[in-house]
Amino acid sequence: MKDRLFGKPVITQEAMRKRVRALGLQITKDYQGKNLLLIGVLKGAFAFFADLCPAISLPLQVDFLKVARHSDKRRKDGGSISISSNVSLDLKNYDVLVVEDIVDSGYTLTFLKEVILAQHPKSLRFCTLLDKPERRKVAIAADYIGFVIPDKFVVGYGLDYKNKYRNLPYIATLDNISDDY
Ligand code: IMP
Ligand code: MG
């Protein structure tokens, strides 16, 4: 894979490794004595999730859910969001930390907060690899953020464009993406 095919790398593998290690240490500190359950949001968070887990030195458990977004530009909220595959565990006993790839408009995080709180976890927090605050449509913030990035469409390290580029080992901008992605 030639870099130029994917535009400019915005976050290198080395920067990512460093940041994931720091996040792991912080989460380890914050969740001492808790019953930590990491929930990965598929598909985008898979690469970040796989690296974050071993960076946390706690006897945590893992689970996954999958979100389906049906975009509809005519709707104010950008379309409907649903859970297409839910977690398998009963969340009541867990301190849940949801692991996301990126927070953009904030609709997905807002939706996840509502549906997960309805399952009564002991506590709920969010960790995202990337945050694009300039694109926010609803006021919501993640508790742990890997990198704040400008309003540019990015791919790699789990993030896709039309389901491709997820295997790129770093985060890169993709050129020629329309502004209303
Ligand atoms: P939100 O509901 O608008 O915050 O959208 C979050 C979802 O949109 C993410 O989980 C991604 O799947 C997708 N997304 C937003 N921005 C990007 C990007 O720059 N690259 C790839 N996917 C993105
Ligand atoms: Mg996506």
Side-chain angles (χ1 to χ4, degrees):
M1 280 189 202
K2 291 248 172 63
D3 287 0
R4 65 190 161 79
L5 286 177
F6 305 102
K8 222 172 121 206
V10 283
I11 302 168
T12 63
Q13 278 178 279
E14 190 43 39
M16 200 104 67
R17 263 197 288 271
K18 260 188 155 159
R19 189 68 192 117
V20 171
R21 229 178 289 139
L23 282 172
L25 284 173
Q26 186 63 50
I27 292 165
T28 303
K29 224 173 103 201
D30 294 351
Y31 282 86
Q32 292 293 319
K34 307 255 188 201
N35 195 19
L36 177 58
L37 173 66
L38 283 191
I39 298 181
V41 181
L42 298 173
K43 298 175 190 173
F46 82 92
F48 177 44
F49 191 91
D51 286 344
L52 184 64
C53 278
I56 301 169
S57 308
L58 290 170
L60 58 82
Q61 295 185 47
V62 303
D63 209 334
F64 299 92
L65 60 78
K66 196 169 176 187
V67 170
R69 265 191 83 157
H70 314 278
S71 62
D72 182 346
K73 301 243 163 64
R74 289 164 303 183
R75 279 176 55 161
K76 213 175 113 220
D77 65 358
S80 65
I81 307 174
S82 60
I83 302 269
S84 64
S85 173
N86 209 347
V87 291
S88 56
L89 294 166
D90 179 353
L91 302 186
K92 280 196 191 75
N93 301 319
Y94 296 100
D95 291 289
V96 170
L97 180 58
V98 176
V99 180
E100 259 281 28
D101 54 354
I102 187 165
V103 184
D104 187 43
S105 66
Y107 289 134
T108 307
L109 214 66
T110 305
F111 167 77
L112 285 174
K113 192 172 179 177
E114 195 183 304
V115 295
I116 293 172
L117 282 178
Q119 296 172 68
H120 306 291
K122 281 167 114 177
S123 68
L124 175 62
R125 282 185 182 171
F126 290 89
C127 175
T128 185
L129 174 66
L130 304 174
D131 187 11
K132 279 197 235 180
E134 287 169 45
R135 299 253 312 167
R136 208 69 98 249
K137 297 261 171 58
V138 279
I140 189 157
D143 304 278
Y144 301 93
I145 297 163
F147 299 90
V148 173
I149 61 166
D151 178 9
K152 280 258 152 66
F153 196 84
V154 292
V155 293
Y157 198 64
L159 286 99
D160 73 305
Y161 174 64
K162 296 193 172 170
N163 254 314
K164 287 186 180 155
Y165 311 106
R166 294 192 197 274
N167 59 321
L168 196 65
Y170 50 83
I171 299 286
T173 49
L174 200 57
D175 297 332
N176 307 318
I177 298 284
S178 68
D179 284 346
D180 60 348
Y181 60 79

